[in-house]
Amino acid sequence: MGAGVNHLLTVNRVGIEKEKLTKISNVLTDARSIRIKGRSFLALMLSPELPLDEWLARLDDLAGRSAGFFLERPIVLDVAELDIDRHQLKGLLDELARRNVRVMGIEGGRPSLFEPGMPPAMRGGRPAPDIEVPAAEPVATAAETAPAVRREPQAAKALSSMIVREPVRSGQSIIFPEGDVTVIGSVASGAEIIAGGSVHIYGTLRGRALAGSVGNAGARIFCRRLEAELLAIDGVYKTAEDMAPDLRGQAVQLWLENDSIKAERLN
Amino acid sequence: MAKVVVVTSGKGGVGKTTSSAALGAALAQRNEKTVVVDFDVGLRNLDLVMGAERRVVYDLVNVIQGDAKLTQAVIRDKRLDTLYLLPASQTRDKDSLTPEGVERVMNELKEQFDWIICDSPAGIERGATLAMRHADVAVVVTNPEVSSVRDSDRIIGLLDAKTEKAERGERMEKHLLLTRYDPARAERGDMLKVDDVLEILSIPLLGIVPESMDVLKASNIGAPVTLADSRSAPALAYLDAARRLAGETVPMTIPGEKRGIFGKIFGRRAA
């Protein structure tokens, strides 16, 4: 990444899905109905902060270092945490438009904020991991435009993983900072799995599982049966006492969301 | 070919010594020459349980240090002439055991006996690791309660890591011997169920020995329970376990339950 301060805006990706609808009209002159198909895009989410002019200055700074990052990308504005009125929102949209940031929807806004002509209100977006805004090459000139700095997917690198084919016994410690650990068997009380990536346990997890141990908030923990003593992802941990009792004994996956561990049953 | 069996558990007081003596006697009753070796240097008990405490002259540490020959230290049982005991030293501690010394003694024993039963001390330190070091088979003695089960799990991990067999890349054969099983308490849910223990430890079941006054009585008269009263419930359980250890297929019975359920558990675990 480029030198200097790296302002990271909260840029979330939001999957936007239109539901499949079938429009039915009262006057059916044509038997065919109009079919509307769903399609989902990844939108970037911008969460402006007050005071707006300072936030816009930071946005300019980011855009300056990463020219064209916002061009041609669907942008959703998150105003849930923003205490502004309709007039201010209109002003903000104009400011963004002057910067070629085209807002396709607004999330978290009160109905009174909206007026005709504004991007529509959106809800039900699903959070996706943070995106780091790539910095332009330090030597890049203004002439170099969008295509040069378009974020390319990183070259596919085969992530390493480790497979443990037998139960992990009490007192044993499997440490694998390089990637995922898969255990075909159970992890006993008093045993621990420490993985740089995700932890997969095809058995009962009775001991400890620490995923994303070297700093990886996207790591997850999966197990056939949860009886764990301790769970940790990216340094955020939960002991058995803090876990929801209804997850005990269930097939569960756990991930990190806003620095807290979330869990859901797998079926 | 001699078979070395370690009787181990991690936790103390679960019945390692009782089980070593009972299994040793049961194997000897099959007319196979058996020696039971006490590795609990400093806290020896096996001589008492086998009723040989008044005949101990030399012990394992004497043999290891070259002060006595193996033949001088090994005591023949008065009731069964195929059963022998190699006592531990009460005055020394576990540091008197050296890896080379233990290896030499084990090799010598292997030349003379069909079965060598190593009664491991509790813990995971030197005494326990040397007792398991040369084993071909491990009998993991576990009580149906959580601390014993977790300690057994720890020991199973060590059996797969710190034994000669494991270091050669071979798999150590491990069997679970569930002792002090109380059907009434299991019924009330005060104890772990057989299935729960098997699920956690995931090793095959060798036998279930019921909690019984007969075990205490046998210790007090200095006889392995299989010799003291071979018709008692714990004796029958140990005799069956010994037959399974010798490779026979014997249907499993869980004390206090109907036969059908036993067959089911054994059948599933044996698969």
Side-chain angles (χ1 to χ4, degrees):
Chain A
M1 295 298 290
V5 237
N6 186 10
H7 280 289
L8 250 188
L9 295 174
T10 343
V11 184
N12 281 323
R13 286 190 290 178
V14 181
I16 297 160
E17 261 172 56
K18 283 182 190 161
E19 272 158 37
K20 205 186 229 177
L21 297 170
T22 308
K23 194 183 173 192
I24 301 168
S25 154
N26 280 339
V27 193
L28 284 174
T29 47
D30 190 332
R32 289 175 303 165
S33 57
I34 295 172
R35 298 199 62 185
I36 303 173
K37 286 182 179 166
R39 185 171 293 247
S40 86
F41 296 90
L42 272 175
L44 300 179
M45 188 157 85
L46 284 177
S47 307
E49 289 161 23
L50 289 173
L52 286 175
D53 45 349
E54 279 180 25
W55 181 79
L56 284 167
R58 277 186 282 154
L59 186 68
D60 287 340
D61 177 53
L62 180 76
R65 283 182 291 114
S66 182
F69 182 70
F70 296 109
L71 290 177
E72 296 170 39
R73 283 173 194 263
I75 303 279
V76 170
L77 212 54
D78 172 21
V79 296
E81 304 286 310
L82 208 58
D83 187 23
I84 54 172
D85 60 22
R86 189 192 298 174
H87 179 71
Q88 284 170 301
L89 179 60
K90 204 161 183 296
L92 175 62
L93 290 170
D94 289 343
E95 288 291 333
L96 289 170
R98 281 209 298 120
R99 290 166 172 81
N100 283 328
V101 177
R102 281 178 300 184
V103 178
M104 64 173 291
I106 298 174
E107 203 181 14
R110 302 181 306 275
S112 63
L113 274 180
F114 294 91
E115 65 173 37
M118 275 192 186
M122 305 188 81
R123 61 183 63 84
R126 282 171 315 196
D130 281 9
I131 294 177
E132 275 193 31
V133 178
E137 293 290 310
V139 290
T141 61
E144 269 180 293
T145 47
V149 288
R150 279 288 285 275
R151 183 182 160 89
E152 295 296 330
Q154 295 198 333
K157 194 177 100 191
L159 288 172
S160 51
S161 68
M162 177 186 199
I163 296 182
V164 181
R165 288 172 202 278
E166 44 209 24
V168 183
R169 303 289 182 177
S170 187
Q172 290 178 339
S173 192
I174 307 281
I175 303 174
F176 189 68
E178 292 84 7
D180 289 10
V181 174
T182 304
V183 180
I184 306 168
S186 295
V187 176
S189 157
E192 62 185 10
I193 309 291
I194 302 175
S198 297
V199 176
H200 312 258
I201 295 157
Y202 292 93
T204 308
L205 169 58
R206 296 190 176 85
R208 302 172 153 210
L210 293 82
S213 66
V214 288
N216 177 1
R220 291 188 178 214
I221 298 171
F222 305 84
C223 62
R224 273 261 179 86
R225 211 175 126 191
L226 182 75
E227 304 278 354
E229 292 164 348
L230 182 139
L231 298 160
I233 301 173
D234 194 21
V236 179
Y237 69 90
K238 237 181 191 190
T239 59
E241 220 172 66
D242 310 328
M243 289 173 216
D246 59 325
L247 292 174
R248 303 233 128 225
Q250 306 293 323
V252 168
Q253 70 155 324
L254 303 119
W255 69 97
L256 203 59
E257 207 175 293
N258 299 325
D259 270 356
S260 70
I261 294 180
K262 304 275 179 195
E264 79 176 15
R265 287 195 203 174
L266 297 168
N267 276 316
Chain B
M1 187 51 190
K3 230 176 186 185
V4 182
V5 180
V6 61
V7 178
T8 186
S9 70
K11 191 169 164 15
V14 296
K16 285 182 296 298
T17 299
T18 300
S19 299
S20 298
L23 288 175
L27 289 165
Q29 279 171 300
R30 297 165 54 89
N31 233 357
E32 291 167 55
K33 207 176 162 194
T34 305
V35 62
V36 189
V37 185
D38 192 350
F39 272 82
D40 206 347
V41 178
L43 290 170
R44 82 171 182 220
N45 284 156
L46 189 62
D47 54 329
L48 289 171
V49 173
M50 291 182 67
E53 72 276 11
R54 288 143 66 100
R55 298 164 62 205
V56 174
V57 182
Y58 295 108
D59 56 49
L60 176 61
V61 172
N62 294 138
V63 181
I64 283 177
Q65 297 186 337
D67 302 332
K69 290 203 180 89
L70 192 60
T71 45
Q72 292 175 292
V74 167
I75 303 167
R76 183 201 290 238
D77 190 271
K78 281 193 167 169
R79 294 149 294 205
L80 260 178
D81 57 8
T82 45
L83 180 62
Y84 295 78
L85 161 71
L86 178 55
S89 167
Q90 182 69 351
T91 53
R92 312 292 186 86
D93 61 29
K94 268 110 187 153
D95 293 336
S96 323
L97 298 173
T98 61
E100 307 75 37
V102 171
E103 184 171 3
R104 188 167 48 79
V105 171
M106 296 309 285
N107 285 337
E108 241 178 286
L109 287 171
K110 279 194 232 176
E111 285 165 19
Q112 300 174 29
F113 292 93
D114 299 315
W115 292 94
I116 300 154
I117 313 291
C118 303
D119 180 20
S120 169
I124 52 172
E125 289 81 23
R126 192 183 187 88
T129 46
L130 282 175
M132 70 171 65
R133 178 122 194 98
H134 303 278
D136 302 305
V137 182
V139 172
V140 180
V141 182
T142 306
N143 293 168
E145 46 105 10
V146 283
S147 54
S148 173
V149 170
R150 189 204 265 175
D151 289 359
S152 292
D153 197 68
R154 178 86 165 101
I155 281 290
I156 295 169
L158 294 179
L159 287 165
D160 285 332
K162 295 211 164 178
T163 52
E164 267 197 333
K165 244 188 156 174
E167 283 168 14
R168 285 198 303 264
E170 295 169 33
R171 267 200 86 75
M172 164 79 72
E173 197 185 314
K174 296 169 290 275
H175 299 279
L176 175 68
L177 186 62
L178 203 58
T179 55
R180 309 196 67 168
Y181 183 83
D182 186 334
R185 292 184 55 206
E187 188 73 24
R188 287 199 305 270
D190 297 348
M191 280 187 342
L192 286 179
K193 291 195 196 72
V194 176
D195 262 9
D196 294 340
V197 181
L198 285 171
E199 206 264 322
I200 294 173
L201 295 179
S202 54
I203 57 173
L205 185 60
L206 186 67
I208 302 168
V209 182
E211 174 84 306
S212 162
M213 283 303 288
D214 295 316
V215 174
L216 191 64
K217 266 189 261 168
S219 302
N220 286 339
I221 60 165
V225 67
T226 36
L227 289 183
D229 178 3
S230 60
R231 308 293 300 274
S232 67
L236 291 172
Y238 278 121
L239 287 165
D240 277 355
R243 289 171 63 194
R244 291 185 195 107
L245 201 56
E248 289 182 36
T249 306
V250 185
M252 186 74 64
T253 49
I254 296 178
E257 287 187 31
K258 298 260 154 36
R259 218 158 242 288
I261 296 168
F262 292 119
K264 196 180 89 192
I265 284 175
F266 185 60
R268 175 149 47 82
R269 288 297 151 187

